[in-house]
Amino acid sequence: MTHVEILDAARDRADGYKVDVSRGERIGRVSSEWFSRPADERYLSLADLYAAVHGRTERSRTRTVESAAIQVEASRDDAERLALMLPGSDAPVAPTHWSFGQLASLVGAPATYLRQLPAPLAGINLQYGLTSHRAEQVKTLEIDDGRIELRAVTGPDYGRYLNSQPVSPTVH
């Protein structure tokens, strides 16, 4: 037989929901994932999370480009740095771990293997894949955080939800 316990959530109208730290359990995996985030991504309140999401939305843009027009830049002088030049951009964009994996997947290359190579060698392989693979339209999500990051590469019909409203502390 299943036992179900219904608890009333204590809610203060002015401050929202309150957490009773004397109840529940500590799940170490969740805590370690939070602590493994960069310091600027450890949000301690809904207002902090909202400010970060809203700011990121304001500094981002999406656009559709042809995959074969993406140019990969890598230098022998810096074996760790790989950048991309997107059509119509004056500055290179830095792929994130996620977007690099999406680009590798697009051209059928094993992202895990490419990540183990020095940037110039990975760049040659990725560039070959982008130019020899059938060209297709891809949608990019670029965010300017002091340097322009390529956060995602998806199909042109992919819907992206960048609105900060779900985490807004004023929405009830």
Side-chain angles (χ1 to χ4, degrees):
M1 180 176 194
T2 303
H3 175 72
V4 177
E5 182 180 354
I6 300 174
L7 303 172
D8 290 330
R11 183 169 181 179
D12 180 352
R13 287 280 173 202
D15 297 329
Y17 289 97
K18 298 286 184 184
V19 175
D20 182 357
V21 295
S22 66
R23 301 178 69 167
E25 61 185 271
R26 181 181 182 278
I27 302 174
R29 193 182 109 240
V30 172
S31 178
S32 69
E33 287 178 13
W34 186 81
F35 279 108
S36 69
R37 290 180 163 273
D40 62 341
E41 291 184 12
R42 293 184 200 153
Y43 306 110
L44 297 174
S45 71
L46 193 55
D48 292 344
L49 176 60
Y50 171 77
V53 171
H54 184 71
R56 187 172 34 238
T57 301
E58 294 296 315
R59 296 183 315 274
S60 69
R61 76 175 182 164
T62 60
R63 60 188 172 134
T64 303
V65 300
E66 190 168 314
S67 61
I70 299 172
Q71 296 295 311
V72 181
E73 292 184 350
S75 169
R76 290 183 184 175
D77 298 332
D78 189 354
E80 299 293 319
R81 185 181 171 278
L82 185 126
L84 305 168
M85 284 299 293
L86 300 177
S89 289
D90 296 332
V93 295
T96 60
H97 181 83
W98 180 256
S99 66
F100 180 83
Q102 289 175 315
L103 273 176
S105 177
L106 175 73
V107 299
T112 304
Y113 172 71
L114 289 179
R115 286 186 186 108
Q116 295 171 2
L117 298 175
L121 194 51
I124 290 168
N125 285 284
L126 190 56
Q127 186 68 67
Y128 176 79
L130 287 167
T131 55
S132 67
H133 188 266
R134 67 177 166 80
E136 60 183 273
Q137 298 289 310
V138 294
K139 184 185 279 186
T140 64
L141 170 63
E142 302 156 49
I143 298 180
D144 189 349
D145 280 329
R147 69 177 186 141
I148 302 173
E149 275 188 343
L150 179 64
R151 300 283 295 227
V153 179
T154 57
D157 298 328
Y158 184 83
R160 183 162 308 282
Y161 188 73
L162 293 173
N163 197 334
S164 53
Q165 191 175 12
V167 294
S168 172
T170 57
V171 175
H172 297 289

